Amino acid sequence: MERRKRLLELASEYDFLIIEDDPYSLILYEPIDVAPLKSMDAEGRVIYLSTFSKILSPGLRLGWVVADDSFTEKFVLAKQGMDLCTSPLLQYITYTALKRKVIQENLTKIRALYKTKRDKMLEALDTYFPEGCKWTMPIGGLFIFAWVPERVNTKELIQDCIKKYRIAYVPGQSFFVNGSGANTMRLNFSYPAMDEIEEGIKRLGQAIKEKL
Ligand SMILES: *Cc1c(COP(=O)(O)O)cnc(C)c1O
């Protein structure tokens, strides 16, 4: 919360805008005492984004923006030029899902389910990953971020993983602005079934050990 407040102060001091990309705050596994930047935005500097991709269905490609009209009017113009606006049918499906509380009820279910899966993956990482690895303990979202030993390049490792081990992850380098992170990976725990989580991490652990 302190960092968030400081960020808003800096935005004001140096006159910049903030894009708050927040697809995960509805999928939290532990309570946290943090408010969205947008809720503290006295100067209209925050452009808040979220999505139905993680709480209803990814294929809908439907999200929302909270920002001053001066921004959203421009977004609508630009988007209209790109795709003649978001499908009204998809918007209506989502509207109905909200009205019938499908999303709200689903959230309760997925929070419990994903938390169990997160814990399963954390346990598997402890068991199967070699010395010299570390990973995050996420309190929300769908991913664990992991660091493997420096000499393993995860962009190269993924080739073996796909062909030989039939598993996949997202190489982490793309998440670093300075091109570092060649030994990192993003692991998804929401999609695979419980037994696939264990088997997948076991194979991934083997693939890493092979490179050491
Ligand atoms: C899923 C996601 C989005 C939005 O996804 P769409 O399918 O394009 O709505 C945006 N930011 C992050 C960090 C995400 O994980």
Side-chain angles (χ1 to χ4, degrees), residues 73-86:
E73 279 161 14
K74 297 244 168 27
F75 295 163
V76 170
L77 263 183
K79 195 167 187 308
Q80 211 161 16
M82 288 167 74
D83 64 2
L84 298 176
C85 293
T86 301

Side-chain angles (χ1 to χ4, degrees), residues 29 110 113-114 117-118 121 141-143 187-193 197:
Y29 311 120
I110 62 176
L113 177 66
Y114 294 166
K117 290 184 171 193
R118 174 201 68 174
M121 187 172 276
L142 314 176
F143 307 102
L187 304 168
N188 171 269
F189 57 78
S190 59
Y191 182 71
I197 291 176

Side-chain angles (χ1 to χ4, degrees), residues 21 23-24 51 53-54 58 61-62:
D21 188 19
Y24 298 117
T51 177
S53 279
K54 314 289 160 41
R61 307 310 309 278
L62 198 61

Side-chain angles (χ1 to χ4, degrees), residues 160-172:
D160 280 3
C161 284
I162 293 170
K163 285 200 204 98
K164 196 167 149 197
Y165 292 96
R166 311 204 42 84
I167 52 171
Y169 57 80
V170 178

